[in-house]
Amino acid sequence: MSGDRRVHTSVPDTETAIDRNLPEFPAAKPIDEDNYFRLHKPPPYLSQISRDVADFINYHHLQKRKIVLVTSGGTTVPLENNTVRFIDNFSAGTRGATSAEYFLENGYAVVFLHREFSLLPYSRHYSHTTNCFLDYMTESEDGKVEVNAEFQKEMIVVLRKYRHAQNNNLLLLVPFTTVHQYLFTLKLIAQELSVIGSDALFYLAAAVSDFFLPSSRVPEHKIQSQESGGKLVVDLEPVPKFLSRLVDSWAPISMIVSFKLETDSSILIKKAKGALERYSHQLVIGNLLQSRKYEVVFVTKDSERWVRLSQEQVDAGIDIESLIIPEVIKLHKSSIEEKKKMGL
Amino acid sequence: MSGDRRVHTSVPDTETAIDRNLPEFPAAKPIDEDNYFRLHKPPPYLSQISRDVADFINYHHLQKRKIVLVTSGGTTVPLENNTVRFIDNFSAGTRGATSAEYFLENGYAVVFLHREFSLLPYSRHYSHTTNCFLDYMTESEDGKVEVNAEFQKEMIVVLRKYRHAQNNNLLLLVPFTTVHQYLFTLKLIAQELSVIGSDALFYLAAAVSDFFLPSSRVPEHKIQSQESGGKLVVDLEPVPKFLSRLVDSWAPISMIVSFKLETDSSILIKKAKGALERYSHQLVIGNLLQSRKYEVVFVTKDSERWVRLSQEQVDAGIDIESLIIPEVIKLHKSSIEEKKKMGL
């Protein structure tokens, strides 16, 4: 028996998902987008989300408010059914949470489809920092918990914005953890948003896994490491290119913005253009892991344009999203006008 | 602290960890514990941590206080050097953070070696909940941020305990992200703790990956998915069995408690006993993913004993750690007495 371990392909139940020999793989054959949704069960909580999303969209539709779906954070790919191990995509959710704030400030209603426990609009200022929750607090002379004086001035501004969004029902939080939940929820929200047509904007900032483990191959229990020398081999299938479905059939009239995150600057623009050509949507925002907080590149069919913070802006702690969002909104406006001319 | 800490490579750029064909593996040969530390560079920030840990230990050594190292949260295994993707182990850090609180209440000083952004002692009550930070706040009539009245009563109790630990220098927070950082930091702390011999307790609740990707195989840049049909095959090496080094040479006189988390109840005790036999340490606490908040099993050389919350305790929201820690402390006391008799 070899020390190698591989997670296997659609196998009868009697077989274990763990094969310590090298299995013979069928030729890699990507799962088609539609097949993905046929072959996998939707998350059980989806009907509840469906109601919340429909209510939210109808409410703003009546008020003729534009709605943006912001996706944020990384998706996980469980390697076991009772999940102990999973593959994750790096993302604290900073881009998504910050962008959502600027959309709200610019009059949009926001559906925030985010990785559970990733950063949230407004609260992001106080989580995932070196300060823990209680470091913001102090005990007053009369034995009450108080927010430290040093945080008061900024926090009241943030709190008011957060309460404004809440009180006006402008922000709907929808969580996901796995790539599976993400795909089903995205499809659902897209179909609900089709009601408002060109007034809907998709701003897909989540770090979605390119690979997944089909449910037929996910072992029920924790993968056991061997007593000695056991290696783990995980082989994953490419995630269906759901973006083509989004553009073609779920939300054909809406404007779609996707992100391309790379670490190698020499291939960033090529990859962004590739995505744009493949899916024929409106805009890819390219960014490098190393410099993503200071510069991004807008890649459209006809142009590529860098949006950068100046050194003064960096020093002043300006969010690059405060430059990105107004640019995206301009493009959304043009897109709406264009669609109207076409009678859509 | 930033997510910018990366595992280092000393590798030819030409190698890649990803093989889309069936690779020919060299016979699996586990990397020896000592070799691991020889072949990999320590995290660059380790010398700073070393000073903090030494100061903390000396301070409590002078006061003859017992010190527990609590490890908590899951380790990551980066699949790329500029980390976009990584394998993670499921753990919010609840066990570790809660246990640390009960050690503090029982007079121990705590070194808390935790996954960055996982739950922290005391603050855990207010993070990773459905409430976001700002949901705890309200604006007073005179425009100040206040903690909501409904949270005051409980929060003041928690805040006082937290401040007590802080003001008396009883809690040292040391973060990690990758399994690599975890191993190097654990070794460092263990060696520093050897100064206090049997007064040191190791409570290893972190979910440490069994597998890792040797730095020589970590690609520099984001793994590219192929245009079509590209599968991802990741093959990982077993993590060196550092526990044997901990028991044999880093901390031979200290008491060591490890955890065994399984999802399959039929193998839990067997796995726990196996670990105990392999490493000859004092105690394995076994738990199942499904029931870990209500029951655990203490497995020692001579016995196995379940520790369970009663239904009333579950309903009253009692932490099972409030039962676990006093039991562990009893065993630690016996262990100290035994070592003293042996003149250690």
PDB file of all heavy atoms in Angstrom, chain A residues 84-86 88 90 135 137 139 160 162-163 210 221 224 263, chain B residues 84-86 88 90 135 137 139 160 162-163 210 221 263 271:
ATOM      1  N   VAL A  84     -13.689  19.295   9.483  1.00  0.00           N
ATOM      2  CA  VAL A  84     -12.546  19.649  10.302  1.00  0.00           C
ATOM      3  C   VAL A  84     -11.568  20.442   9.442  1.00  0.00           C
ATOM      4  O   VAL A  84     -11.064  21.471   9.834  1.00  0.00           O
ATOM      5  CB  VAL A  84     -11.875  18.404  10.906  1.00  0.00           C
ATOM      6  CG1 VAL A  84     -10.575  18.769  11.612  1.00  0.00           C
ATOM      7  CG2 VAL A  84     -12.813  17.724  11.897  1.00  0.00           C
ATOM      8  N   ARG A  85     -11.348  19.950   8.213  1.00  0.00           N
ATOM      9  CA  ARG A  85     -10.394  20.624   7.332  1.00  0.00           C
ATOM     10  C   ARG A  85     -11.094  21.236   6.131  1.00  0.00           C
ATOM     11  O   ARG A  85     -12.026  20.666   5.581  1.00  0.00           O
ATOM     12  CB  ARG A  85      -9.366  19.625   6.814  1.00  0.00           C
ATOM     13  CG  ARG A  85      -8.548  18.976   7.899  1.00  0.00           C
ATOM     14  CD  ARG A  85      -7.381  18.230   7.288  1.00  0.00           C
ATOM     15  NE  ARG A  85      -6.706  17.435   8.303  1.00  0.00           N
ATOM     16  CZ  ARG A  85      -7.078  16.199   8.632  1.00  0.00           C
ATOM     17  NH1 ARG A  85      -8.095  15.625   8.037  1.00  0.00           N
ATOM     18  NH2 ARG A  85      -6.415  15.545   9.553  1.00  0.00           N
ATOM     19  N   PHE A  86     -10.618  22.369   5.717  1.00  0.00           N
ATOM     20  CA  PHE A  86     -11.165  22.982   4.518  1.00  0.00           C
ATOM     21  C   PHE A  86     -10.103  23.822   3.839  1.00  0.00           C
ATOM     22  O   PHE A  86      -9.123  24.231   4.459  1.00  0.00           O
ATOM     23  CB  PHE A  86     -12.384  23.828   4.848  1.00  0.00           C
ATOM     24  CG  PHE A  86     -12.168  24.859   5.922  1.00  0.00           C
ATOM     25  CD1 PHE A  86     -11.791  26.151   5.594  1.00  0.00           C
ATOM     26  CD2 PHE A  86     -12.348  24.538   7.263  1.00  0.00           C
ATOM     27  CE1 PHE A  86     -11.595  27.118   6.578  1.00  0.00           C
ATOM     28  CE2 PHE A  86     -12.140  25.495   8.257  1.00  0.00           C
ATOM     29  CZ  PHE A  86     -11.768  26.780   7.917  1.00  0.00           C
ATOM     30  N   ASP A  88      -9.361  27.393   2.107  1.00  0.00           N
ATOM     31  CA  ASP A  88      -9.937  28.720   2.252  1.00  0.00           C
ATOM     32  C   ASP A  88      -9.235  29.674   1.294  1.00  0.00           C
ATOM     33  O   ASP A  88      -8.118  29.412   0.865  1.00  0.00           O
ATOM     34  CB  ASP A  88      -9.745  29.195   3.699  1.00  0.00           C
ATOM     35  CG  ASP A  88     -10.784  30.238   4.103  1.00  0.00           C
ATOM     36  OD1 ASP A  88     -11.431  30.823   3.214  1.00  0.00           O
ATOM     37  OD2 ASP A  88     -10.928  30.456   5.309  1.00  0.00           O
ATOM     38  N   PHE A  90      -7.827  33.501   0.967  1.00  0.00           N
ATOM     39  CA  PHE A  90      -7.459  34.630   1.812  1.00  0.00           C
ATOM     40  C   PHE A  90      -8.350  35.836   1.547  1.00  0.00           C
ATOM     41  O   PHE A  90      -8.437  36.325   0.441  1.00  0.00           O
ATOM     42  CB  PHE A  90      -6.007  35.026   1.530  1.00  0.00           C
ATOM     43  CG  PHE A  90      -5.658  36.375   2.084  1.00  0.00           C
ATOM     44  CD1 PHE A  90      -5.343  36.517   3.417  1.00  0.00           C
ATOM     45  CD2 PHE A  90      -5.681  37.497   1.274  1.00  0.00           C
ATOM     46  CE1 PHE A  90      -5.048  37.758   3.944  1.00  0.00           C
ATOM     47  CE2 PHE A  90      -5.379  38.750   1.796  1.00  0.00           C
ATOM     48  CZ  PHE A  90      -5.062  38.887   3.127  1.00  0.00           C
ATOM     49  N   ASP A 135     -10.961  46.085  24.860  1.00  0.00           N
ATOM     50  CA  ASP A 135      -9.979  47.172  24.903  1.00  0.00           C
ATOM     51  C   ASP A 135     -10.612  48.523  24.576  1.00  0.00           C
ATOM     52  O   ASP A 135     -10.015  49.565  24.820  1.00  0.00           O
ATOM     53  CB  ASP A 135      -8.837  46.888  23.922  1.00  0.00           C
ATOM     54  CG  ASP A 135      -7.925  45.775  24.420  1.00  0.00           C
ATOM     55  OD1 ASP A 135      -7.802  45.622  25.648  1.00  0.00           O
ATOM     56  OD2 ASP A 135      -7.348  45.057  23.587  1.00  0.00           O
ATOM     57  N   MET A 137     -13.320  49.442  25.982  1.00  0.00           N
ATOM     58  CA  MET A 137     -14.213  49.743  27.097  1.00  0.00           C
ATOM     59  C   MET A 137     -13.439  50.151  28.345  1.00  0.00           C
ATOM     60  O   MET A 137     -12.283  49.783  28.531  1.00  0.00           O
ATOM     61  CB  MET A 137     -15.044  48.506  27.460  1.00  0.00           C
ATOM     62  CG  MET A 137     -15.796  47.886  26.309  1.00  0.00           C
ATOM     63  SD  MET A 137     -16.946  49.036  25.547  1.00  0.00           S
ATOM     64  CE  MET A 137     -17.073  48.279  23.925  1.00  0.00           C
ATOM     65  N   GLU A 139     -14.324  51.168  32.768  1.00  0.00           N
ATOM     66  CA  GLU A 139     -15.365  51.179  33.795  1.00  0.00           C
ATOM     67  C   GLU A 139     -15.476  52.590  34.363  1.00  0.00           C
ATOM     68  O   GLU A 139     -14.478  53.193  34.770  1.00  0.00           O
ATOM     69  CB  GLU A 139     -15.017  50.188  34.924  1.00  0.00           C
ATOM     70  CG  GLU A 139     -16.106  50.141  35.987  1.00  0.00           C
ATOM     71  CD  GLU A 139     -15.886  49.038  37.032  1.00  0.00           C
ATOM     72  OE1 GLU A 139     -15.033  48.163  36.820  1.00  0.00           O
ATOM     73  OE2 GLU A 139     -16.588  49.083  38.065  1.00  0.00           O
ATOM     74  N   ARG A 160     -23.525  56.535  13.916  1.00  0.00           N
ATOM     75  CA  ARG A 160     -24.662  57.224  13.280  1.00  0.00           C
ATOM     76  C   ARG A 160     -24.903  56.728  11.861  1.00  0.00           C
ATOM     77  O   ARG A 160     -26.031  56.519  11.442  1.00  0.00           O
ATOM     78  CB  ARG A 160     -24.415  58.738  13.268  1.00  0.00           C
ATOM     79  CG  ARG A 160     -24.687  59.368  14.613  1.00  0.00           C
ATOM     80  CD  ARG A 160     -24.347  60.833  14.619  1.00  0.00           C
ATOM     81  NE  ARG A 160     -24.450  61.352  15.992  1.00  0.00           N
ATOM     82  CZ  ARG A 160     -23.847  62.453  16.420  1.00  0.00           C
ATOM     83  NH1 ARG A 160     -23.097  63.169  15.595  1.00  0.00           N
ATOM     84  NH2 ARG A 160     -23.996  62.847  17.676  1.00  0.00           N
ATOM     85  N   TYR A 162     -24.108  53.800  10.714  1.00  0.00           N
ATOM     86  CA  TYR A 162     -24.619  52.436  10.820  1.00  0.00           C
ATOM     87  C   TYR A 162     -26.103  52.446  11.174  1.00  0.00           C
ATOM     88  O   TYR A 162     -26.911  51.744  10.557  1.00  0.00           O
ATOM     89  CB  TYR A 162     -23.811  51.678  11.878  1.00  0.00           C
ATOM     90  CG  TYR A 162     -24.291  50.263  12.144  1.00  0.00           C
ATOM     91  CD1 TYR A 162     -24.296  49.305  11.130  1.00  0.00           C
ATOM     92  CD2 TYR A 162     -24.728  49.886  13.412  1.00  0.00           C
ATOM     93  CE1 TYR A 162     -24.737  48.012  11.379  1.00  0.00           C
ATOM     94  CE2 TYR A 162     -25.154  48.592  13.672  1.00  0.00           C
ATOM     95  CZ  TYR A 162     -25.167  47.664  12.652  1.00  0.00           C
ATOM     96  OH  TYR A 162     -25.597  46.385  12.891  1.00  0.00           O
ATOM     97  N   ARG A 163     -26.479  53.276  12.128  1.00  0.00           N
ATOM     98  CA  ARG A 163     -27.890  53.346  12.535  1.00  0.00           C
ATOM     99  C   ARG A 163     -28.755  53.898  11.406  1.00  0.00           C
ATOM    100  O   ARG A 163     -29.893  53.459  11.209  1.00  0.00           O
ATOM    101  CB  ARG A 163     -28.051  54.222  13.789  1.00  0.00           C
ATOM    102  CG  ARG A 163     -27.424  53.638  15.040  1.00  0.00           C
ATOM    103  CD  ARG A 163     -28.138  52.372  15.518  1.00  0.00           C
ATOM    104  NE  ARG A 163     -27.447  51.818  16.689  1.00  0.00           N
ATOM    105  CZ  ARG A 163     -27.394  50.538  16.984  1.00  0.00           C
ATOM    106  NH1 ARG A 163     -27.980  49.633  16.207  1.00  0.00           N
ATOM    107  NH2 ARG A 163     -26.749  50.116  18.053  1.00  0.00           N
ATOM    108  N   ASP A 210     -11.574  28.740  -6.991  1.00  0.00           N
ATOM    109  CA  ASP A 210     -11.635  28.250  -8.369  1.00  0.00           C
ATOM    110  C   ASP A 210     -11.864  26.747  -8.406  1.00  0.00           C
ATOM    111  O   ASP A 210     -12.117  26.175  -9.455  1.00  0.00           O
ATOM    112  CB  ASP A 210     -10.302  28.506  -9.092  1.00  0.00           C
ATOM    113  CG  ASP A 210     -10.001  29.984  -9.227  1.00  0.00           C
ATOM    114  OD1 ASP A 210     -10.958  30.750  -9.396  1.00  0.00           O
ATOM    115  OD2 ASP A 210      -8.815  30.353  -9.151  1.00  0.00           O
ATOM    116  N   HIS A 221     -16.252  11.406   7.334  1.00  0.00           N
ATOM    117  CA  HIS A 221     -15.529  11.697   8.566  1.00  0.00           C
ATOM    118  C   HIS A 221     -14.154  12.276   8.299  1.00  0.00           C
ATOM    119  O   HIS A 221     -13.683  12.305   7.171  1.00  0.00           O
ATOM    120  CB  HIS A 221     -15.441  10.440   9.427  1.00  0.00           C
ATOM    121  CG  HIS A 221     -16.755  10.096  10.056  1.00  0.00           C
ATOM    122  ND1 HIS A 221     -17.380  10.932  10.944  1.00  0.00           N
ATOM    123  CD2 HIS A 221     -17.584   9.028   9.887  1.00  0.00           C
ATOM    124  CE1 HIS A 221     -18.528  10.388  11.312  1.00  0.00           C
ATOM    125  NE2 HIS A 221     -18.676   9.236  10.685  1.00  0.00           N
ATOM    126  N   GLN A 224      -8.167  10.455   8.053  1.00  0.00           N
ATOM    127  CA  GLN A 224      -7.211   9.968   9.043  1.00  0.00           C
ATOM    128  C   GLN A 224      -5.789  10.014   8.503  1.00  0.00           C
ATOM    129  O   GLN A 224      -5.517   9.574   7.394  1.00  0.00           O
ATOM    130  CB  GLN A 224      -7.555   8.527   9.446  1.00  0.00           C
ATOM    131  CG  GLN A 224      -8.892   8.414  10.157  1.00  0.00           C
ATOM    132  CD  GLN A 224      -8.928   9.214  11.460  1.00  0.00           C
ATOM    133  OE1 GLN A 224      -7.964   9.215  12.215  1.00  0.00           O
ATOM    134  NE2 GLN A 224     -10.034   9.908  11.706  1.00  0.00           N
ATOM    135  N   THR A 263      -1.102  37.831  -7.706  1.00  0.00           N
ATOM    136  CA  THR A 263       0.088  38.200  -6.929  1.00  0.00           C
ATOM    137  C   THR A 263       1.235  38.541  -7.871  1.00  0.00           C
ATOM    138  O   THR A 263       2.231  39.120  -7.459  1.00  0.00           O
ATOM    139  CB  THR A 263       0.539  37.040  -6.014  1.00  0.00           C
ATOM    140  OG1 THR A 263       0.931  35.923  -6.818  1.00  0.00           O
ATOM    141  CG2 THR A 263      -0.578  36.616  -5.069  1.00  0.00           C
TER     142      THR A 263
ATOM    143  N   VAL B  84      -2.852  33.355  -1.307  1.00  0.00           N
ATOM    144  CA  VAL B  84      -4.246  33.556  -1.657  1.00  0.00           C
ATOM    145  C   VAL B  84      -5.046  32.373  -1.133  1.00  0.00           C
ATOM    146  O   VAL B  84      -6.081  32.528  -0.518  1.00  0.00           O
ATOM    147  CB  VAL B  84      -4.441  33.738  -3.171  1.00  0.00           C
ATOM    148  CG1 VAL B  84      -5.914  33.772  -3.543  1.00  0.00           C
ATOM    149  CG2 VAL B  84      -3.773  35.038  -3.630  1.00  0.00           C
ATOM    150  N   ARG B  85      -4.526  31.163  -1.353  1.00  0.00           N
ATOM    151  CA  ARG B  85      -5.240  29.965  -0.913  1.00  0.00           C
ATOM    152  C   ARG B  85      -4.487  29.263   0.203  1.00  0.00           C
ATOM    153  O   ARG B  85      -3.268  29.193   0.197  1.00  0.00           O
ATOM    154  CB  ARG B  85      -5.377  28.979  -2.066  1.00  0.00           C
ATOM    155  CG  ARG B  85      -6.175  29.528  -3.235  1.00  0.00           C
ATOM    156  CD  ARG B  85      -6.501  28.413  -4.207  1.00  0.00           C
ATOM    157  NE  ARG B  85      -7.064  28.956  -5.432  1.00  0.00           N
ATOM    158  CZ  ARG B  85      -6.342  29.372  -6.456  1.00  0.00           C
ATOM    159  NH1 ARG B  85      -5.026  29.292  -6.416  1.00  0.00           N
ATOM    160  NH2 ARG B  85      -6.933  29.863  -7.520  1.00  0.00           N
ATOM    161  N   PHE B  86      -5.226  28.683   1.115  1.00  0.00           N
ATOM    162  CA  PHE B  86      -4.601  27.919   2.172  1.00  0.00           C
ATOM    163  C   PHE B  86      -5.559  26.855   2.667  1.00  0.00           C
ATOM    164  O   PHE B  86      -6.769  26.957   2.480  1.00  0.00           O
ATOM    165  CB  PHE B  86      -4.158  28.822   3.324  1.00  0.00           C
ATOM    166  CG  PHE B  86      -5.236  29.711   3.877  1.00  0.00           C
ATOM    167  CD1 PHE B  86      -6.000  29.307   4.964  1.00  0.00           C
ATOM    168  CD2 PHE B  86      -5.492  30.956   3.317  1.00  0.00           C
ATOM    169  CE1 PHE B  86      -6.990  30.122   5.491  1.00  0.00           C
ATOM    170  CE2 PHE B  86      -6.493  31.786   3.829  1.00  0.00           C
ATOM    171  CZ  PHE B  86      -7.236  31.370   4.908  1.00  0.00           C
ATOM    172  N   ASP B  88      -7.126  25.139   5.950  1.00  0.00           N
ATOM    173  CA  ASP B  88      -7.351  25.596   7.312  1.00  0.00           C
ATOM    174  C   ASP B  88      -7.970  24.460   8.115  1.00  0.00           C
ATOM    175  O   ASP B  88      -8.570  23.555   7.560  1.00  0.00           O
ATOM    176  CB  ASP B  88      -8.301  26.795   7.293  1.00  0.00           C
ATOM    177  CG  ASP B  88      -8.129  27.685   8.521  1.00  0.00           C
ATOM    178  OD1 ASP B  88      -7.534  27.232   9.518  1.00  0.00           O
ATOM    179  OD2 ASP B  88      -8.595  28.837   8.476  1.00  0.00           O
ATOM    180  N   PHE B  90     -10.724  23.686  11.042  1.00  0.00           N
ATOM    181  CA  PHE B  90     -11.887  24.294  11.671  1.00  0.00           C
ATOM    182  C   PHE B  90     -11.632  24.547  13.146  1.00  0.00           C
ATOM    183  O   PHE B  90     -11.356  23.624  13.908  1.00  0.00           O
ATOM    184  CB  PHE B  90     -13.090  23.369  11.519  1.00  0.00           C
ATOM    185  CG  PHE B  90     -14.208  23.721  12.442  1.00  0.00           C
ATOM    186  CD1 PHE B  90     -15.071  24.760  12.117  1.00  0.00           C
ATOM    187  CD2 PHE B  90     -14.378  23.066  13.651  1.00  0.00           C
ATOM    188  CE1 PHE B  90     -16.095  25.112  12.977  1.00  0.00           C
ATOM    189  CE2 PHE B  90     -15.398  23.415  14.513  1.00  0.00           C
ATOM    190  CZ  PHE B  90     -16.260  24.437  14.170  1.00  0.00           C
ATOM    191  N   ASP B 135     -23.642  46.821  17.284  1.00  0.00           N
ATOM    192  CA  ASP B 135     -24.940  46.431  17.843  1.00  0.00           C
ATOM    193  C   ASP B 135     -24.945  46.495  19.372  1.00  0.00           C
ATOM    194  O   ASP B 135     -26.009  46.482  19.987  1.00  0.00           O
ATOM    195  CB  ASP B 135     -25.325  45.015  17.391  1.00  0.00           C
ATOM    196  CG  ASP B 135     -25.710  44.982  15.922  1.00  0.00           C
ATOM    197  OD1 ASP B 135     -26.223  46.005  15.423  1.00  0.00           O
ATOM    198  OD2 ASP B 135     -25.491  43.944  15.274  1.00  0.00           O
ATOM    199  N   MET B 137     -23.782  49.057  20.890  1.00  0.00           N
ATOM    200  CA  MET B 137     -23.661  50.474  21.234  1.00  0.00           C
ATOM    201  C   MET B 137     -24.964  51.230  20.977  1.00  0.00           C
ATOM    202  O   MET B 137     -25.768  50.850  20.146  1.00  0.00           O
ATOM    203  CB  MET B 137     -22.564  51.123  20.381  1.00  0.00           C
ATOM    204  CG  MET B 137     -21.239  50.415  20.431  1.00  0.00           C
ATOM    205  SD  MET B 137     -20.562  50.317  22.102  1.00  0.00           S
ATOM    206  CE  MET B 137     -19.429  48.942  21.883  1.00  0.00           C
ATOM    207  N   GLU B 139     -26.489  55.615  21.097  1.00  0.00           N
ATOM    208  CA  GLU B 139     -26.077  57.008  21.258  1.00  0.00           C
ATOM    209  C   GLU B 139     -26.871  57.616  22.408  1.00  0.00           C
ATOM    210  O   GLU B 139     -28.097  57.521  22.446  1.00  0.00           O
ATOM    211  CB  GLU B 139     -26.327  57.794  19.961  1.00  0.00           C
ATOM    212  CG  GLU B 139     -25.881  59.237  20.085  1.00  0.00           C
ATOM    213  CD  GLU B 139     -25.934  60.015  18.769  1.00  0.00           C
ATOM    214  OE1 GLU B 139     -26.095  59.385  17.690  1.00  0.00           O
ATOM    215  OE2 GLU B 139     -25.818  61.255  18.830  1.00  0.00           O
ATOM    216  N   ARG B 160     -14.246  43.466  34.242  1.00  0.00           N
ATOM    217  CA  ARG B 160     -13.423  43.483  35.466  1.00  0.00           C
ATOM    218  C   ARG B 160     -12.435  42.329  35.489  1.00  0.00           C
ATOM    219  O   ARG B 160     -11.278  42.485  35.856  1.00  0.00           O
ATOM    220  CB  ARG B 160     -14.323  43.422  36.711  1.00  0.00           C
ATOM    221  CG  ARG B 160     -14.918  44.777  37.037  1.00  0.00           C
ATOM    222  CD  ARG B 160     -15.906  44.686  38.193  1.00  0.00           C
ATOM    223  NE  ARG B 160     -16.599  45.963  38.342  1.00  0.00           N
ATOM    224  CZ  ARG B 160     -17.763  46.112  38.966  1.00  0.00           C
ATOM    225  NH1 ARG B 160     -18.379  45.061  39.496  1.00  0.00           N
ATOM    226  NH2 ARG B 160     -18.318  47.295  39.058  1.00  0.00           N
ATOM    227  N   TYR B 162     -11.249  40.806  32.883  1.00  0.00           N
ATOM    228  CA  TYR B 162     -10.247  41.089  31.846  1.00  0.00           C
ATOM    229  C   TYR B 162      -9.213  42.089  32.359  1.00  0.00           C
ATOM    230  O   TYR B 162      -8.012  41.897  32.201  1.00  0.00           O
ATOM    231  CB  TYR B 162     -10.952  41.617  30.597  1.00  0.00           C
ATOM    232  CG  TYR B 162     -10.026  42.016  29.467  1.00  0.00           C
ATOM    233  CD1 TYR B 162      -9.182  41.084  28.874  1.00  0.00           C
ATOM    234  CD2 TYR B 162     -10.005  43.331  28.992  1.00  0.00           C
ATOM    235  CE1 TYR B 162      -8.334  41.454  27.833  1.00  0.00           C
ATOM    236  CE2 TYR B 162      -9.167  43.703  27.954  1.00  0.00           C
ATOM    237  CZ  TYR B 162      -8.328  42.766  27.376  1.00  0.00           C
ATOM    238  OH  TYR B 162      -7.490  43.124  26.353  1.00  0.00           O
ATOM    239  N   ARG B 163      -9.691  43.156  32.984  1.00  0.00           N
ATOM    240  CA  ARG B 163      -8.767  44.182  33.505  1.00  0.00           C
ATOM    241  C   ARG B 163      -7.892  43.616  34.619  1.00  0.00           C
ATOM    242  O   ARG B 163      -6.718  43.959  34.733  1.00  0.00           O
ATOM    243  CB  ARG B 163      -9.550  45.397  34.021  1.00  0.00           C
ATOM    244  CG  ARG B 163     -10.270  46.184  32.955  1.00  0.00           C
ATOM    245  CD  ARG B 163      -9.313  46.895  32.000  1.00  0.00           C
ATOM    246  NE  ARG B 163     -10.066  47.583  30.951  1.00  0.00           N
ATOM    247  CZ  ARG B 163      -9.654  47.750  29.705  1.00  0.00           C
ATOM    248  NH1 ARG B 163      -8.479  47.261  29.331  1.00  0.00           N
ATOM    249  NH2 ARG B 163     -10.393  48.386  28.820  1.00  0.00           N
ATOM    250  N   ASP B 210      -2.404  18.190  10.320  1.00  0.00           N
ATOM    251  CA  ASP B 210      -1.580  16.984  10.265  1.00  0.00           C
ATOM    252  C   ASP B 210      -0.671  16.993   9.043  1.00  0.00           C
ATOM    253  O   ASP B 210       0.212  16.161   8.910  1.00  0.00           O
ATOM    254  CB  ASP B 210      -2.467  15.730  10.144  1.00  0.00           C
ATOM    255  CG  ASP B 210      -3.349  15.541  11.358  1.00  0.00           C
ATOM    256  OD1 ASP B 210      -2.901  15.889  12.462  1.00  0.00           O
ATOM    257  OD2 ASP B 210      -4.487  15.060  11.198  1.00  0.00           O
ATOM    258  N   HIS B 221       3.708  32.325  -6.643  1.00  0.00           N
ATOM    259  CA  HIS B 221       2.514  33.102  -6.988  1.00  0.00           C
ATOM    260  C   HIS B 221       1.251  32.257  -6.964  1.00  0.00           C
ATOM    261  O   HIS B 221       1.307  31.044  -6.842  1.00  0.00           O
ATOM    262  CB  HIS B 221       2.690  33.756  -8.354  1.00  0.00           C
ATOM    263  CG  HIS B 221       3.649  34.913  -8.290  1.00  0.00           C
ATOM    264  ND1 HIS B 221       3.394  36.021  -7.536  1.00  0.00           N
ATOM    265  CD2 HIS B 221       4.863  35.099  -8.851  1.00  0.00           C
ATOM    266  CE1 HIS B 221       4.411  36.863  -7.652  1.00  0.00           C
ATOM    267  NE2 HIS B 221       5.320  36.323  -8.438  1.00  0.00           N
ATOM    268  N   THR B 263     -14.632  13.027  14.395  1.00  0.00           N
ATOM    269  CA  THR B 263     -16.049  13.155  14.051  1.00  0.00           C
ATOM    270  C   THR B 263     -16.739  11.801  14.155  1.00  0.00           C
ATOM    271  O   THR B 263     -17.952  11.721  14.161  1.00  0.00           O
ATOM    272  CB  THR B 263     -16.232  13.701  12.612  1.00  0.00           C
ATOM    273  OG1 THR B 263     -15.705  12.750  11.685  1.00  0.00           O
ATOM    274  CG2 THR B 263     -15.539  15.031  12.436  1.00  0.00           C
ATOM    275  N   LYS B 271      -8.074   6.412  19.120  1.00  0.00           N
ATOM    276  CA  LYS B 271      -7.134   7.431  18.643  1.00  0.00           C
ATOM    277  C   LYS B 271      -6.458   8.135  19.827  1.00  0.00           C
ATOM    278  O   LYS B 271      -5.273   8.426  19.789  1.00  0.00           O
ATOM    279  CB  LYS B 271      -7.867   8.466  17.785  1.00  0.00           C
ATOM    280  CG  LYS B 271      -8.542   7.916  16.529  1.00  0.00           C
ATOM    281  CD  LYS B 271      -7.580   7.581  15.416  1.00  0.00           C
ATOM    282  CE  LYS B 271      -6.867   8.820  14.904  1.00  0.00           C
ATOM    283  NZ  LYS B 271      -5.950   8.474  13.799  1.00  0.00           N
TER     284      LYS B 271
END
